[in-house]
Amino acid sequence: MTDLIRNPVFVLVRPQMGENIGSAARAMLNFSFNALRLVAPRDGWPNPKAVATASGAAHHVLDYAGVFDDTARAIEDCDFVFATTARGRELTKPIYTPEAAMTEARTRIAAGQKVGILFGPERTGLENDDIARANAIITIPVNPEFFSLNLAQAVLLMAYEFSRQEGSALPVDPGLAGAEIASAIEIEKLGDHYEAELETAGFFFPPNKAALMRRNLRNMWSRFGLTRADVQTLHGLLRQVLRKRD
């Protein structure tokens, strides 16, 4: 379990091929990573092709992989989440290079936070609803005429970049000193609270724009970098407004 503290959690969202999951596990173990989570793998789980491709010791990464129905549940215990994507311009979020992202990850992990990295399906990448739940985006500076990376390649690149910085000093952001960062599940529940009340108030109108409005709200909450105290304040603020209205 110490790996969940020392290294980021790698989350493969709706992976399509068992072979790619196995290759990603091998890439992780190359750099001593073993915290793998799978969201709704297309061909179910366990997957014999993933085990065959992982081969050797890497099958242990698969043995202990967590399997989740959706992205929200897979990251609910994370304090900060990156989404790897070549897109994301529709959503306002900080965009990191791999090097800068893994520096940020190391800083946060050194401060006791849990960091997750989302990787999307092989053919389509992450959907905006997945990206909206991340705090920041990682975009790999590759050939703009051919920006598609194999899933295992993307995993390997992030694991390598994180490991490459092993000897670097790990500063702690003084702006967060003494603050407990809100976890993904706390952010998710805050979003649920506001969505429910806004739905009752008729905010999501017209109906054809409701899904986009909800996604933009989710994106906003995750972008703010809220502390647990912030979340409690926002819950309390909404409750008080509703009491006064009633």
Side-chain angles (χ1 to χ4, degrees):
M1 297 299 291
T2 56
D3 185 80
L4 297 180
I5 298 173
R6 291 190 302 107
N7 294 333
V9 177
F10 281 24
V11 184
L12 310 187
V13 179
R14 298 181 295 280
Q16 297 172 316
M17 298 178 63
E19 293 90 340
N20 288 337
I21 299 172
S23 295
R26 292 180 65 175
M28 289 174 61
L29 194 60
N30 283 151
F31 296 96
S32 302
F33 283 63
N34 55 39
L36 175 65
R37 297 179 183 180
L38 308 174
V39 176
R42 184 190 66 182
D43 297 335
W45 195 258
N47 187 310
K49 292 182 179 179
V51 176
T53 306
S55 71
H59 75 82
H60 290 298
V61 177
L62 302 179
D63 290 342
Y64 294 99
V67 183
F68 300 83
D69 293 332
D70 56 50
T71 301
R73 287 182 175 83
I75 62 171
E76 66 181 14
D77 62 338
C78 293
D79 302 297
F80 195 90
V81 178
F82 290 101
T84 58
T85 178
R87 299 172 303 191
R89 296 292 177 179
E90 303 104 330
L91 299 172
T92 305
K93 287 188 184 293
I95 300 176
Y96 289 72
T97 63
E99 180 180 11
M102 294 304 95
T103 299
E104 179 75 15
R106 280 192 165 275
T107 299
R108 290 180 176 277
I109 290 170
Q113 295 181 30
K114 183 179 290 186
V115 175
I117 306 176
L118 301 177
F119 299 86
E122 295 90 325
R123 293 186 63 184
T124 60
L126 292 168
E127 296 179 358
N128 279 343
D129 285 344
D130 302 309
I131 299 169
R133 286 178 162 81
N135 303 98
I137 288 170
I138 302 174
T139 295
I140 300 169
V142 295
N143 179 0
E145 301 299 321
F146 189 69
F147 55 79
S148 177
L149 281 179
N150 176 276
L151 176 59
Q153 290 174 329
V155 168
L156 182 72
L157 194 154
M158 293 302 146
Y160 163 77
E161 188 59 56
F162 187 87
S163 298
R164 186 181 66 80
Q165 300 178 22
E166 187 73 41
S168 303
L170 299 174
V172 176
D173 182 357
L176 296 175
E180 290 186 75
I181 298 299
S183 67
I185 187 60
E186 290 169 323
I187 299 296
E188 187 76 12
K189 289 180 178 179
L190 178 66
D192 291 344
H193 187 184
Y194 272 78
E195 276 191 27
E197 297 300 341
L198 290 170
E199 179 70 43
T200 301
F203 176 78
F204 298 112
F205 183 85
N208 64 317
K209 294 185 178 180
L212 179 60
M213 294 168 74
R214 287 188 174 90
R215 180 191 301 155
N216 287 341
L217 278 172
R218 293 285 176 179
N219 184 59
M220 182 180 71
W221 297 127
S222 63
R223 190 177 72 240
F224 284 162
L226 299 171
T227 65
R228 298 187 73 182
D230 293 333
V231 169
Q232 291 166 3
T233 298
L234 287 166
H235 277 300
L237 182 153
L238 182 56
R239 292 189 189 103
Q240 186 63 26
V241 168
L242 292 172
R243 287 193 197 101
K244 291 293 185 182
R245 186 186 66 186
D246 295 339

